[in-house]
Amino acid sequence: MTPNQPPALELDRISRWLGGRQILSDITVSIPTGKISCLLGQSGCGKSTLLRLISGVDRPDGGRIRMDGQEIVGDGSFVEPESRNIGFMFQDYALFPHISVAANLAFGLRGMSKAEQQKRVNEVVDGIGIRHLVDRFPHSLSGGEQQRVALARALAPKPAVLLMDEPFSNLDQGLRERVRKETVETLRKLGTTAIIVTHDPQEALAVGDLIILMREGKIEQIGSPFDIYDHPVSPYAAEFMGPCNRLTGIFARGQIETPIGKFQANLNLPDGALAVACIRPQALTIESAGDGIAARILAKSFLGESEQIDISVHPLAQPLRVHSHQRIPMAVGQQVSLHLNHAEIHVFADAVVPV
C-alpha cells in the first residue's frame, strides 16, 4: 500500500447485537491493500459475524464501513452484497455438486459474455494450476482439490477483497499445511487483499501480514505476527498466542519479584502492587543439579522436534513447563537446575483472565 493509497477496507466503531446480546463492540480496524489479514480468536468471539457484516449479508447496529475510501455502510447508506466486489470462500467450500469444476468457476461470471467467461476461467485455472480438474465434478475431488477449486471460484470475479472463513479447517494436518502454503503463495502472487478467519494462532502467525486478535466481541490487539507474539498487550494475548507459565509477583522499583527471580517491568503501578509474569516454556532451560534454581522433573513428553518437560519448583503450587530442542538426559524424579532466558518473559498488571 502506497502512502497516499487508502486501505482496502476500513471498519469504524462497528457494533452488532443479536438476541439481546452484544456480539461485536466498537470494532475499528484498517485492512491494508494487497495483504493477508487474519481475524483470530476463540469460537464465539465474533469473527464470522464480522465477515458477514463486511460481505453485506448482515447489517451492523452501529458504525461505518468503507472500501477504497468509499462508504458502503453507514448512517442511511448500505451497498448491497452483489455490488461490493467482495469474494467469499466458505468453510465447507459450497461447490455446486451437479455441475463441473469449469461451470462452478464460471458461475460468478454471469454478467460476462460466454467468450469473456471462458477467458477468465482459463486465466484462473492456469494461475492456480487446476487445469486437470476442469471437467470433473466436486464429488470426485479430494479435500485439497475442492479447496483449490473453491479458491479459484472466489478469485474468478477479481474481487477487491476476498473473505475466507476457516478455509483450511476441513483438511487433515499434513494436507492442511501444504494447501495453506499453496493458497498463500497464490494470494501473494496475485496481490489479493484477503481476510482469513481462524481460531488457530499458529496458522495466523504463519500466513498473516496483519493479525487482529479478538476476544468476546472486541479487539484485544492488532499487529504483525512478530508484534503480537513478541509484544503482547495483555496476559490473554500472551497466552492465546502460545503456551505460557504464569507467575504472580510483587511490583517494586520497576521490577516484578517472583519465587524464581526478578524481572524488569515497565508498568505504571505503585510499589507493592501485584503483577503477572507470563514466561514462555522455551524461555526456561534445565541442566544437571548445580548453579541455578533448584527444581525436580515431574514428567517428560517427546514431541519429535522438541521435548516437553514439567518441573516442580519450591514454593510454586503449580509445575512449570519447559520446551527444549535439545535432548534432556535427566530422568523423571531427578533434581535439576533451572535457568531463565529473560527475552521471552512478558510482564503485566495483575488481572483475572478466563482460560
Side-chain angles (χ1 to χ4, degrees):
M1 189 168 68
T2 62
N4 296 324
Q5 184 179 10
L9 197 67
E10 296 173 277
L11 309 181
D12 181 18
R13 295 170 294 174
I14 294 295
S15 64
R16 183 70 174 103
W17 291 77
L18 287 172
R21 185 168 69 94
Q22 189 163 22
I23 306 300
L24 295 172
S25 175
D26 198 31
I27 300 295
T28 298
V29 63
S30 293
I31 302 299
T33 299
K35 303 294 184 181
I36 298 174
S37 300
C38 286
L39 281 177
L40 174 65
Q42 296 175 335
S43 296
C45 74
K47 307 184 300 296
S48 295
T49 298
L50 194 55
L51 277 201
R52 290 195 294 272
L53 298 180
I54 294 171
S55 69
V57 299
D58 192 11
R59 298 187 184 215
D61 294 301
R64 301 175 185 274
I65 301 177
R66 289 181 288 273
M67 280 189 67
D68 197 26
Q70 302 298 311
E71 187 167 282
I72 59 172
V73 176
D75 293 336
S77 64
F78 183 82
V79 175
E80 295 297 331
E82 60 272 17
S83 301
R84 293 190 182 190
N85 194 23
I86 291 178
F88 206 125
M89 181 173 164
F90 297 92
Q91 183 176 359
D92 61 358
Y93 310 142
L95 298 174
F96 300 113
H98 60 287
I99 58 177
S100 68
V101 166
N104 265 278
L105 299 186
F107 184 81
L109 307 175
R110 287 171 296 177
M112 299 180 178
S113 68
K114 289 294 184 181
E116 290 173 328
Q117 286 183 17
Q118 189 59 54
K119 180 182 177 183
R120 180 57 185 155
V121 168
N122 286 334
E123 291 173 352
V124 174
V125 161
D126 292 334
I128 297 183
I130 56 171
R131 170 67 60 184
H132 60 296
L133 302 179
V134 292
D135 294 324
R136 291 171 59 182
F137 285 74
H139 73 270
S140 70
L141 305 178
S142 68
E145 289 169 340
Q146 289 184 29
Q147 201 274 353
R148 285 189 284 271
V149 170
L151 175 64
R153 187 179 66 178
L155 290 173
K158 297 184 179 180
V161 177
L162 176 61
L163 309 180
M164 307 172 76
D165 192 2
E166 299 274 6
F168 313 111
S169 61
N170 290 333
L171 304 175
D172 294 336
Q173 181 62 35
L175 181 61
R176 181 185 310 150
E177 292 180 3
R178 179 169 63 82
V179 172
R180 185 174 68 197
K181 180 175 181 292
E182 293 172 354
T183 300
V184 169
E185 288 175 350
T186 298
L187 295 176
R188 296 202 190 286
K189 179 178 68 175
L190 297 175
T192 303
T193 301
I195 302 175
I196 299 178
V197 161
T198 179
H199 64 276
D200 182 351
Q202 297 306 311
E203 183 166 275
L205 290 171
V207 308
D209 298 301
L210 182 74
I211 296 177
I212 302 145
L213 176 60
M214 297 183 64
R215 176 186 175 195
E216 296 179 350
K218 298 180 180 180
I219 292 178
E220 184 77 7
Q221 186 172 356
I222 301 174
S224 72
F226 290 110
D227 287 338
I228 288 208
Y229 188 84
D230 293 339
H231 306 289
V233 299
S234 65
Y236 181 87
E239 293 178 336
F240 194 90
M241 298 311 297
C244 285
N245 296 290
R246 179 193 287 222
L247 296 180
T248 300
I250 304 297
F251 177 81
R253 295 183 295 279
Q255 292 183 316
I256 174 178
E257 183 173 358
T258 77
I260 64 171
K262 294 181 179 180
F263 312 119
Q264 288 299 122
N266 185 22
L267 300 174
N268 185 22
L269 292 175
D271 286 356
L274 290 179
V276 172
C278 292
I279 304 173
R280 300 283 183 204
Q282 60 269 28
L284 306 175
T285 58
I286 55 177
E287 299 175 357
S288 299
D291 293 338
I293 302 164
R296 182 170 62 88
I297 295 180
L298 298 178
K300 297 174 68 177
S301 299
F302 181 50
L303 306 178
E305 292 183 356
S306 64
E307 199 167 10
Q308 180 175 286
I309 305 103
D310 292 337
I311 61 172
S312 64
V313 179
H314 181 76
L316 298 179
Q318 297 295 322
L320 298 178
R321 177 153 290 177
V322 179
H323 285 173
S324 175
H325 287 280
Q326 297 179 335
R327 301 290 181 262
I328 301 299
M330 290 77 81
V332 172
Q334 189 170 338
Q335 296 292 324
V336 294
S337 291
L338 175 67
H339 300 267
L340 289 88
N341 162 19
H342 289 234
E344 295 195 73
I345 298 174
H346 311 294
V347 181
F348 309 96
D350 188 29
V352 177
V353 177
V355 177

